[in-house]
Amino acid sequence: MEILAIGRSIFDLFFPIRCLNCDSVISQRNPLCVTCAADLPLTHWNMDQYNLAFEKLKPFCKIQSAHSLLFFRHENVTQKLLHHLKYLNHPEIGYLLAEKTIFDVDLKKFDGIIPIPIHPKKLKKRGYNQILPYAITLAEHFQIPVREDILIRVENNPSQVFKNREKRLNSIQNAFGLTNQNLEGHFIIMDDVLTTGATISTCVNLIHAKFPKVKISVMTIACGV
Ligand SMILES: [Zn+2]
């Protein structure tokens, strides 16, 4: 036992696990230290029409309700979490954040979750669509399907980070398509972060153009402020 403990200390000495926010050494394989985890910028929103996510999307598309778990600011902990989820092969961050979301929302009444798809080239490079760990965990908890068979990505856009809303809208409008699947009911469109709302509103409008009676709500892990 003692030898094991010494061995672990030596391992930690050379390969310390660090909090991805404050860089302090942590003992377990969590993304954050206890202090940073307790300090997450949670929105505490309900899934409804009285929050910033709904306000951002309302001018551009018709949705029933919206929810985001975290506030997203330049270089805040949310940005670091999403960066690790998206680019540094940490899908477990999606599972952990979904477990927090379960306290905010009840998704049993919905007919399914439609994740925003990423282009096959990005999928091949990244290995997974970054929103799926989050989507799958919530879908399993509330026993609703994840509908990856509705939206398709048809054009690989360059990074959207530095474009303004108008430029983003122009480049994103041809980036998605619909499959031949039929759709009826109330669905949740899900993405990692809501900033200008260009991507999400494009997908909502695309679905409504073909299925005007389908109700759509929106969930994102984070909402830019
Ligand atoms: Zn920390």
Side-chain angles (χ1 to χ4, degrees):
M1 194 65 189
E2 208 170 279
I3 291 169
L4 271 179
I6 293 167
R8 186 173 171 177
S9 299
I10 292 169
F11 181 85
D12 286 349
L13 196 64
F14 288 103
F15 305 102
I17 303 155
R18 293 182 181 275
C19 169
L20 63 83
N21 189 47
C22 71
D23 215 32
S24 63
V25 175
I26 49 180
S27 58
Q28 291 174 343
R29 294 195 176 275
N30 291 321
L32 299 171
C33 71
V34 176
T35 309
C36 291
D39 219 22
L40 274 177
L42 295 165
T43 64
H44 296 294
W45 292 343
N46 294 314
M47 178 104 171
D48 56 29
Q49 303 188 344
Y50 308 102
N51 57 56
L52 180 62
F54 187 87
E55 287 299 320
K56 277 183 175 229
L57 291 164
K58 191 171 70 172
F60 308 111
C61 58
K62 188 170 182 280
I63 57 168
Q64 305 296 314
S65 58
H67 178 269
S68 306
L69 176 70
L70 299 167
F71 289 113
F72 179 100
R73 291 185 182 86
H74 182 58
E75 291 191 351
N76 79 344
V77 61
T78 304
Q79 188 183 30
K80 291 175 191 170
L81 282 168
L82 292 184
H83 181 79
H84 279 70
L85 171 66
K86 205 166 171 175
Y87 301 111
L88 300 175
N89 195 27
H90 283 280
E92 76 280 6
I93 290 171
Y95 303 123
L96 293 168
L97 294 177
E99 283 166 11
K100 293 193 180 299
T101 310
I102 284 161
F103 299 107
D104 284 355
V105 296
D106 182 356
L107 308 183
K108 286 198 259 336
K109 71 169 183 176
F110 293 95
D111 295 292
I113 295 171
I114 301 175
I116 301 278
I118 61 173
H119 192 274
K121 278 182 195 163
K122 269 190 189 162
L123 188 63
K124 200 173 173 191
K125 195 174 162 195
R126 196 171 295 163
Y128 57 94
N129 177 345
Q130 70 273 5
I131 193 57
L132 273 184
Y134 187 74
I136 289 169
T137 308
L138 289 171
E140 282 179 355
H141 182 84
F142 292 108
Q143 302 202 318
I144 57 173
V146 176
R147 297 292 304 270
E148 286 187 85
D149 58 337
I150 305 299
L151 283 172
I152 45 172
R153 196 92 188 204
V154 293
E155 190 184 304
N156 198 9
N157 280 294
S159 174
Q160 302 293 314
V161 177
F162 299 108
K163 293 182 180 172
N164 66 27
R165 188 171 201 286
E166 200 181 338
K167 284 180 184 167
R168 283 186 63 155
L169 252 185
N170 287 337
S171 68
I172 211 104
Q173 261 164 358
N174 298 320
F176 295 94
L178 288 174
T179 64
N180 289 325
Q181 293 290 333
N182 196 23
L183 207 58
E184 266 178 53
H186 190 172
F187 292 86
I188 301 163
I189 285 194
M190 200 171 273
D191 203 2
D192 52 352
V193 61
L194 169 61
T195 48
T196 65
T199 302
I200 291 171
S201 58
T202 294
C203 292
V204 173
N205 292 332
L206 189 64
I207 290 173
H208 276 153
K210 190 172 174 187
F211 307 107
K213 287 183 183 167
V214 164
K215 290 182 180 171
I216 299 174
S217 288
V218 170
M219 286 181 78
T220 61
I221 295 175
C223 181
V225 289

